[in-house]
Short mmCIF file of all heavy atoms in Angstrom, two decimals:
data_model
loop_
_atom_site.label_atom_id
_atom_site.label_comp_id
_atom_site.label_asym_id
_atom_site.label_seq_id
_atom_site.Cartn_x
_atom_site.Cartn_y
_atom_site.Cartn_z
N LYS A 285 108.83 136.78 111.64
CA LYS A 285 110.01 137.22 110.87
C LYS A 285 110.80 138.27 111.60
O LYS A 285 111.99 138.27 111.67
CB LYS A 285 109.60 137.72 109.49
CG LYS A 285 109.22 136.61 108.51
CD LYS A 285 108.89 137.21 107.16
CE LYS A 285 108.54 136.12 106.16
NZ LYS A 285 108.22 136.69 104.84
N GLU A 286 110.01 139.20 112.25
CA GLU A 286 110.67 140.29 112.99
C GLU A 286 111.43 139.71 114.20
O GLU A 286 112.52 140.13 114.55
CB GLU A 286 109.68 141.34 113.40
CG GLU A 286 109.12 142.16 112.27
CD GLU A 286 108.11 143.22 112.71
OE1 GLU A 286 108.23 143.60 113.94
OE2 GLU A 286 107.34 143.72 111.96
N ILE A 287 110.75 138.71 114.89
CA ILE A 287 111.44 138.09 116.04
C ILE A 287 112.69 137.40 115.61
O ILE A 287 113.78 137.55 116.27
CB ILE A 287 110.44 137.09 116.64
CG1 ILE A 287 109.28 137.80 117.40
CG2 ILE A 287 111.16 136.19 117.72
CD1 ILE A 287 108.21 136.90 117.87
N ASN A 288 112.60 136.65 114.47
CA ASN A 288 113.81 135.93 114.02
C ASN A 288 114.90 136.94 113.63
O ASN A 288 116.10 136.68 113.87
CB ASN A 288 113.43 135.07 112.75
CG ASN A 288 112.50 133.96 113.11
OD1 ASN A 288 112.43 133.56 114.30
ND2 ASN A 288 111.76 133.42 112.17
N PHE A 289 114.49 138.07 113.07
CA PHE A 289 115.49 139.09 112.65
C PHE A 289 116.23 139.57 113.91
O PHE A 289 117.45 139.63 113.88
CB PHE A 289 114.75 140.22 111.97
CG PHE A 289 115.66 141.48 111.72
CD1 PHE A 289 116.55 141.46 110.65
CD2 PHE A 289 115.68 142.53 112.59
CE1 PHE A 289 117.38 142.50 110.39
CE2 PHE A 289 116.53 143.58 112.39
CZ PHE A 289 117.36 143.56 111.30
N PHE A 290 115.54 139.92 114.95
CA PHE A 290 116.18 140.47 116.14
C PHE A 290 116.95 139.42 116.90
O PHE A 290 117.90 139.69 117.58
CB PHE A 290 115.12 141.14 117.07
CG PHE A 290 114.70 142.47 116.59
CD1 PHE A 290 113.41 142.65 116.04
CD2 PHE A 290 115.52 143.60 116.64
CE1 PHE A 290 113.00 143.89 115.55
CE2 PHE A 290 115.11 144.83 116.16
CZ PHE A 290 113.86 144.97 115.65
N LYS A 291 116.52 138.14 116.81
CA LYS A 291 117.27 137.07 117.42
C LYS A 291 118.58 136.76 116.68
O LYS A 291 119.58 136.37 117.28
CB LYS A 291 116.43 135.80 117.49
CG LYS A 291 115.31 135.89 118.56
CD LYS A 291 114.55 134.53 118.58
CE LYS A 291 113.48 134.55 119.71
NZ LYS A 291 112.76 133.30 119.77
N GLU A 292 118.57 136.92 115.34
CA GLU A 292 119.65 136.47 114.53
C GLU A 292 120.63 137.60 114.17
O GLU A 292 121.72 137.35 113.65
CB GLU A 292 119.14 135.82 113.24
CG GLU A 292 118.31 134.56 113.51
CD GLU A 292 117.62 134.12 112.22
OE1 GLU A 292 117.83 134.71 111.16
OE2 GLU A 292 116.86 133.09 112.31
N ASN A 293 120.21 138.84 114.37
CA ASN A 293 121.05 139.97 113.92
C ASN A 293 121.44 140.87 115.12
O ASN A 293 120.54 141.22 115.95
CB ASN A 293 120.30 140.80 112.90
CG ASN A 293 120.10 140.02 111.58
OD1 ASN A 293 120.95 140.05 110.73
ND2 ASN A 293 118.98 139.37 111.46
N CYS A 294 122.68 141.24 115.13
CA CYS A 294 123.15 142.17 116.17
C CYS A 294 123.38 143.56 115.63
O CYS A 294 123.60 144.49 116.38
CB CYS A 294 124.47 141.61 116.78
SG CYS A 294 124.18 140.05 117.69
N THR A 295 123.41 143.66 114.28
CA THR A 295 123.60 145.00 113.70
C THR A 295 122.54 145.23 112.68
O THR A 295 121.98 144.29 112.08
CB THR A 295 124.97 145.07 113.03
OG1 THR A 295 125.08 144.04 112.00
CG2 THR A 295 126.09 144.91 114.00
N CYS A 296 122.20 146.50 112.40
CA CYS A 296 121.23 146.87 111.46
C CYS A 296 121.80 146.76 110.05
O CYS A 296 122.88 147.30 109.78
CB CYS A 296 120.78 148.29 111.65
SG CYS A 296 119.64 148.91 110.39
N PRO A 297 121.17 145.91 109.15
CA PRO A 297 121.72 145.78 107.77
C PRO A 297 121.69 147.00 106.94
O PRO A 297 122.48 147.11 105.98
CB PRO A 297 120.84 144.68 107.20
CG PRO A 297 119.53 144.80 107.90
CD PRO A 297 119.88 145.22 109.28
N THR A 298 120.93 147.97 107.33
CA THR A 298 120.86 149.24 106.54
C THR A 298 121.90 150.23 106.94
O THR A 298 122.70 150.73 106.13
CB THR A 298 119.45 149.83 106.67
OG1 THR A 298 118.48 148.90 106.27
CG2 THR A 298 119.34 151.09 105.83
N CYS A 299 121.99 150.52 108.23
CA CYS A 299 122.94 151.56 108.69
C CYS A 299 124.16 150.95 109.35
O CYS A 299 125.05 151.68 109.78
CB CYS A 299 122.25 152.50 109.69
SG CYS A 299 121.69 151.63 111.19
N THR A 300 124.18 149.61 109.52
CA THR A 300 125.34 148.86 110.11
C THR A 300 125.64 149.25 111.58
O THR A 300 126.72 148.98 112.08
CB THR A 300 126.63 149.00 109.22
OG1 THR A 300 127.08 150.37 109.33
CG2 THR A 300 126.39 148.67 107.78
#
Side-chain angles (χ1 to χ4, degrees):
K285 284 182 179 180
E286 291 183 21
I287 289 173
N288 293 338
F289 171 80
F290 284 107
K291 286 182 176 181
E292 297 170 4
N293 292 274
C294 295
T295 59
C296 175
T298 301
C299 65
T300 69

